[in-house]
């Protein structure tokens, strides 16, 4: 494991807290991950901008739609997907300014979903705290 590799949970936290992300280009990040069995990169690439209104009322406004890519580097082959390929995975990202430090911006994943032959599996943000303050409605 290289000193720059992240464990899977740290990688998720890094995405959510904008580690190395550019607020003007939130989809432009790739993180090296090591899970004790394999080394892989998880990266985001820009698909399009979109205006959305979440069904739960948490957010309405502009998001970047990003595709999440998994690239195996070394180690055991993953067994989650058929033929060693994961289904397409996407996310909606929005950028919010910190209330505690206006120079700091957070890039928030509001929805992550995967499309497979069995249908769509999605995780949707339902509660967000920014700088310790619960946000009831964004924008």
């Amino acid at each position: 494991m290289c000193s720059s590799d992240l464990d899977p949970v740290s990688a998720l936290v890094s995405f959510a807290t904008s580690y190395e992300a550019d607020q003007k280009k939130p989809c432009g990040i790739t993180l090296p991950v090591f899970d004790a069995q394999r080394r892989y990169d998880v990266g985001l690439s820009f698909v399009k901008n979109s205006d959305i209104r979440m069904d739960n009322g948490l957010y309405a406004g502009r998001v970047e739609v990003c595709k999440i890519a998994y690239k195996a580097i070394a180690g055991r082959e993953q067994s989650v997907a058929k033929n060693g390929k994961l289904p397409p995975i996407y996310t909606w990202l929005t950028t919010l300014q910190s209330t505690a430090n206006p120079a700091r911006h957070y890039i928030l994943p509001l929805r992550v979903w995967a499309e497979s032959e069995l249908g769509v599996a999605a995780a949707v943000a339902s509660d967000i705290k920014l700088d310790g303050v619960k946000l009831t409605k964004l924008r």
Side-chain angles (χ1 to χ4, degrees):
M1 181 165 131
C2 296
S3 62
S4 62
D5 291 343
L6 301 170
D7 64 271
V9 173
S10 294
L12 286 173
V13 170
S14 295
F15 276 121
T17 58
S18 315
Y19 174 75
E20 292 185 4
D22 179 348
Q23 69 184 20
K24 294 177 184 164
K25 237 178 115 177
C27 292
I29 185 171
T30 299
L31 295 174
V33 181
F34 178 73
D35 68 6
Q37 294 185 21
R38 62 194 65 83
R39 166 65 178 84
Y40 51 93
D41 287 342
V42 176
L44 299 176
S45 59
F46 178 80
V47 175
K48 66 180 181 178
N49 288 310
S50 188
D51 289 313
I52 60 117
R53 181 175 304 278
M54 293 179 70
D55 291 340
N56 63 13
L58 183 64
Y59 179 83
R62 195 151 186 88
V63 296
E64 278 199 16
V65 179
C66 308
K67 186 172 185 179
I68 301 172
Y70 167 93
K71 180 181 177 189
I73 306 295
R76 294 178 76 187
E77 190 173 312
Q78 62 87 11
S79 59
V80 174
K82 197 187 251 187
N83 300 325
K85 289 197 150 206
L86 293 172
I89 304 169
Y90 300 92
T91 186
W92 286 338
L93 296 181
T94 191
T95 304
L96 295 178
Q97 186 176 19
S98 168
T99 55
N101 178 359
R104 173 79 167 137
H105 289 80
Y106 296 97
I107 297 172
L108 301 175
L110 297 171
R111 182 177 193 258
V112 177
W113 71 97
E115 301 171 355
S116 75
E117 63 274 358
L118 300 175
V120 176
V124 179
S126 60
D127 186 45
I128 296 173
K129 284 187 178 180
L130 184 64
D131 299 326
V133 177
K134 183 176 179 175
L135 303 175
T136 55
K137 190 173 180 181
L138 305 174
R139 305 212 187 168

